[in-house]
Amino acid sequence: MRTSRSAARIRSARIAETVAKSILGTATMIALGIAVFLIGYLAYRGMGYVSWEFLTQAPRKAMTEGGIYPVIVGTVWLTAWTAFFALPFGIMAGIYLAEYSPRNRANRIIRIAIANMAGVPSIVYGLFGVALFVLQMGLGRSIIAGSLTLACMTLPVIITVTEEALRQIPRDLRQASLALGATKLRTIRKVVLPAAAPGIVTGSILALSRAAGETAPILFTAVAFFAPIADSPFDETMALPYHMYIMATSATKPAPQMVWGTAFVLVAGVSLINVVVASWRARQRRKIRW
Amino acid sequence: MVERTQTDGAFELVDVSVSYGNEMAVGGVTMSIPEHAVTALIGPSGCGKSTLLRCLNRMNDELGDVTVDGTILLDGQDIYARTMDPVELRIRVGQVFQKPNPFPMSIYDNVAYGPRTHGLRGKAELDAVVEESLKRAALWNEVKDALKKHAFELSGGQQQRLCIARALATEPEVLLMDEPASALDPISTQQIEDTIAELKESVTIVIVTHNMQQAARISDRTAFMLRESMDRPATLIEIGETRMMFTNPGDKRTEAYITGRFG
C-alpha cells in the first residue's frame, strides 16, 4: 500500500538491495579467484618446463626426461574417436527428444534417465568399458575401447545440450517454415538446426574437452605406462591425464617437471579450444537475436 | 515448383468448429471468403479469430490435440479431406505472422526458401522469383543492393514486408495475416496496409486485426466474432460488406464493439 511506503521502508529496501548485490558479487569473485589461482599456479609450476623439445619428443630415461609428444598424440586420437562415436548419436538423439518425441510420461522418464547418466561417476564408466568393450567385445586395451567408453560418458551431455539448444529456437521460426509448405524434416534441417548449431557445437566441445581430461574411463580400457605412438586404433596408447597420474604416483624417480609440464599442456590445450569456440559462438550470437 | 492449376482462392466454411482437447473454442462458423478481396476478422481477444484463421492452412494440425469439424472448401475442394496434403495446401495458402519472423539467413535466402523447398533450383529462375516477390511486397527498392545482407539487419517493418515477400514467393492464392502490423510503428503499418491494398488484385487476403480503423481502411468484408461466455465457444456474430458493418451493423453486439463499448 502506498501509505505504508514510508521513507524508512524505502531506505531499508535500498540497503537490502546493496547487501544482496555485494554478496552475489563476492560469490562470483571467489569462483573467479579459484579459477585464476588454479591456472596461474599451473602456469607458474609448469610453463617453465614446456619447450619445443618437450612438445615434440618422446620421453627418455624411464620417462623422467625428454618430452610428451606421443602422449599428446594419444589424447588427440582418443578425443577424436570419442567425438566420432558420441557426436552423431548424441545429436540425433537430442533432435529426436526435442522435435519428435511426444510429451508423455515415457519420454519424461527417458529424459530423467539420460540426465542421470550424466551424473554417473566416470570410474563406473571405466569398469563398464572393461566389461563390455575390452573383454566382451574383445577389443582389448585400445584407443577404440577407450574412446567408446569416453563416448558413453559424453553421450548424455551431448544429448542434453543438443535438446536444450533446439528448444531455444522460437516456435515462430518453425511455424514460418511449415506455413511455407516445408515438411518437418526440412524445417529441422534448414531452419532449426542451423540456428541451434552454435549452442550444439559449444556444448559438445565442452563435453569433449571434459572427456579429454578424464583418467578413470581410460585407466583400464586404453592406456599403458609406456607405449609408442599407436599404429592403429586397436593399439594401446598414452594419454595426458593418465600420464600425469602415473608420473605423480608410480614413477621410478620423481620427475615433477614432467607432471607439471603435462598438466599445463593439457589445461592450456583444452582452454585454448574452449576460448576459440566461445568467441566463435559470441560472434554467431551477435548475428542472431530473437 | 509443384504443378497446379491456378484457381481463385475463395473459401467456403460450413459449420466449422474447432476444439482444443475436449473444449470447443470456436463453434458453428458458416461464412464465405470471396476471392481477390480482403476479409477482416475482428473481435475481442480470445474470440477465436486466430484459431479460425489457422484452420485455413491447417496450421492447427501442428499444435496437436486440435480437432476441426465441419467443412472448409477452397475453390470447392475440401481442405480437410484425406486426399489433401497439408504441404500442398500451404503452398496455395500462405501465412504472415504477428511478429516478423524472418529466418536467420540472408534476405535472398529468406525469399527463396519456399521455392527451393518446392524444387526450384535454377539461379535465374530463383533470382526472378525473389525480385518479383520483393517488388510485390514493396521492399525491392530498399533491399535490391543488399540481398546478401542478413535478414536481422532490417528494421521491424522491413522484416515484416520480407515475411510477406517470403510468403508470396510460392505464389499462393490466399494470404493469411495474423495481426501483421500489431508489432510495428505507424509508418511501417501504413506501408503494410498499402502493400495489402495492392496485393488483393492478385491474392485473396484474410486478415485478423485488433485495430478497428485498420479493418475499416483495408478490408472489403468484415467478420465479427465473439465469445460471449467462457463456458460457450466463440461464434461468428455476423459478416458483411465492411462499409455496412461499420455504418449500419445488423447486430447490436457488433455495433457495441465497433463503437468501443466493450472489447
Side-chain angles (χ1 to χ4, degrees), chain B residues 9 21 44 59 91 136 144 150 159 173 179:
Chain B
M59 281 300 280
I91 300 174
R136 289 175 79 195
K144 64 180 174 211
H150 202 277
Q159 287 188 12
E173 298 147 35
E179 299 187 51

Side-chain angles (χ1 to χ4, degrees), chain B residues 119-168:
Chain B
L120 193 67
R121 284 285 173 271
K123 179 157 176 4
E125 285 110 310
L126 279 172
D127 286 354
V129 172
V130 169
E131 179 173 345
E132 163 78 11
S133 307
L134 285 167
K135 277 181 176 160
R136 289 175 79 195
L139 187 60
W140 176 250
N141 286 333
E142 291 156 66
V143 303
K144 64 180 174 211
D145 299 318
L147 294 175
K148 293 283 163 232
K149 238 167 76 172
H150 202 277
F152 291 174
E153 289 177 42
L154 297 173
S155 73
Q158 288 174 322
Q159 287 188 12
Q160 192 63 307
R161 277 179 287 147
L162 177 64
C163 292
I164 294 175
R166 183 176 64 186
L168 289 172

Side-chain angles (χ1 to χ4, degrees), chain A:
Chain A
M1 255 188 289
R2 199 181 174 80
T3 46
S4 67
R5 281 239 163 214
S6 61
R9 267 195 63 157
I10 293 173
R11 202 175 320 118
S12 78
R14 199 175 296 148
I15 292 170
E17 185 76 47
T18 313
V19 170
K21 198 169 134 187
S22 47
I23 291 175
L24 299 172
T26 309
T28 311
M29 291 317 284
I30 289 174
L32 186 71
I34 292 171
V36 167
F37 175 76
L38 199 86
I39 292 178
Y41 187 69
L42 212 53
Y44 163 71
R45 294 295 302 263
M47 199 150 64
Y49 303 120
V50 178
S51 61
W52 186 243
E53 189 206 4
F54 187 72
L55 293 175
T56 56
Q57 293 195 356
R60 287 193 313 267
K61 299 199 175 161
M63 300 213 284
T64 56
E65 279 176 37
I68 56 167
Y69 179 63
V71 190
I72 297 175
V73 173
T75 283
V76 169
W77 275 123
L78 277 169
T79 314
W81 280 104
T82 303
F84 176 77
F85 292 126
L87 283 180
F89 280 104
I91 291 174
M92 285 192 287
I95 292 172
Y96 175 77
L97 287 177
E99 305 289 334
Y100 287 99
S101 71
R103 303 243 144 221
N104 58 24
R105 213 181 129 90
N107 279 302
R108 260 200 308 283
I109 292 170
I110 291 176
R111 259 188 206 96
I112 292 168
I114 290 171
N116 275 336
M117 263 171 75
V120 172
S122 56
I123 186 72
V124 176
Y125 282 102
L127 292 173
F128 170 75
V130 177
L132 181 63
F133 303 124
V134 177
L135 301 175
Q136 192 68 37
M137 290 173 61
L139 293 169
R141 267 178 183 252
S142 61
I143 293 179
I144 286 291
S147 311
L148 284 167
T149 311
L150 287 170
C152 290
M153 187 192 80
T154 315
L155 203 55
V157 184
I158 292 178
I159 294 174
T160 312
V161 296
T162 302
E163 192 190 345
E164 295 296 324
L166 290 170
R167 284 194 193 286
Q168 281 180 16
I169 307 306
R171 208 175 67 172
D172 259 23
L173 273 191
R174 296 162 213 262
Q175 300 232 319
S177 175
L178 294 170
L180 285 164
T183 58
K184 188 163 180 169
L185 182 62
R186 187 173 169 87
T187 301
I188 293 169
R189 265 179 44 224
K190 296 288 174 181
V191 175
V192 183
L193 264 186
I200 296 174
V201 171
T202 321
S204 302
I205 298 282
L206 284 175
L208 288 171
S209 64
R210 265 237 89 88
E214 276 289 348
T215 312
I218 56 174
L219 192 57
F220 314 119
T221 56
V223 287
F225 182 70
F226 180 82
I229 290 179
D231 290 327
S232 95
F234 297 97
D235 290 343
E236 285 181 312
T237 183
M238 297 204 279
L240 290 167
Y242 178 72
H243 192 65
M244 253 166 72
Y245 165 72
I246 206 75
M247 290 307 290
T249 55
S250 346
T252 41
K253 199 161 67 158
Q257 77 278 11
M258 299 300 283
V259 180
W260 288 108
T262 306
F264 180 74
V265 167
L266 177 59
V267 171
V270 165
S271 311
L272 184 70
I273 292 169
N274 288 347
V275 167
V276 167
V277 171
S279 61
W280 170 73
R281 182 178 190 181
R283 247 201 332 275
Q284 296 290 311
R285 270 240 181 96
R286 232 168 294 142
K287 279 199 285 179
I288 297 176
R289 50 213 136 96
W290 310 120

Side-chain angles (χ1 to χ4, degrees), chain B residues 41-220:
Chain B
L41 301 180
I42 64 168
S45 297
C47 74
K49 313 180 290 281
S50 298
T51 299
L52 187 66
L53 189 80
R54 280 197 302 267
C55 292
L56 302 180
N57 62 347
R58 290 184 54 175
M59 281 300 280
N60 280 332
D61 293 16
E62 307 298 334
L63 299 177
D65 211 21
V66 179
T67 22
V68 178
D69 294 306
T71 311
I72 302 178
L73 303 174
L74 173 58
D75 296 327
Q77 208 180 347
D78 183 357
I79 65 169
Y80 279 87
R82 207 182 292 252
T83 48
M84 174 60 86
D85 180 2
V87 165
E88 197 190 316
L89 173 67
R90 289 172 195 154
I91 300 174
R92 295 170 61 187
V93 183
Q95 184 175 357
V96 175
F97 296 79
Q98 185 172 356
K99 254 175 49 194
N101 55 357
F103 298 132
M105 47 181 87
S106 74
I107 294 169
Y108 184 98
D109 289 339
N110 262 280
V111 183
Y113 185 88
R116 278 178 177 149
T117 297
H118 306 300
L120 193 67
R121 284 285 173 271
K123 179 157 176 4
E125 285 110 310
L126 279 172
D127 286 354
V129 172
V130 169
E131 179 173 345
E132 163 78 11
S133 307
L134 285 167
K135 277 181 176 160
R136 289 175 79 195
L139 187 60
W140 176 250
N141 286 333
E142 291 156 66
V143 303
K144 64 180 174 211
D145 299 318
L147 294 175
K148 293 283 163 232
K149 238 167 76 172
H150 202 277
F152 291 174
E153 289 177 42
L154 297 173
S155 73
Q158 288 174 322
Q159 287 188 12
Q160 192 63 307
R161 277 179 287 147
L162 177 64
C163 292
I164 294 175
R166 183 176 64 186
L168 289 172
T170 57
E171 292 170 41
E173 298 147 35
V174 185
L175 202 53
L176 309 177
M177 304 180 116
D178 192 353
E179 299 187 51
S182 65
L184 303 180
D185 62 79
I187 293 171
S188 303
T189 302
Q190 173 72 49
Q191 286 170 324
I192 301 278
E193 289 184 9
D194 292 346
T195 308
I196 292 171
E198 298 228 340
L199 284 175
K200 74 169 180 183
E201 304 296 324
S202 51
V203 190
T204 303
I205 291 173
V206 187
I207 182 171
V208 164
T209 179
H210 266 122
N211 182 332
M212 228 87 62
Q213 288 79 21
Q214 184 171 65
R217 277 195 303 267
I218 63 174
S219 72
D220 302 296

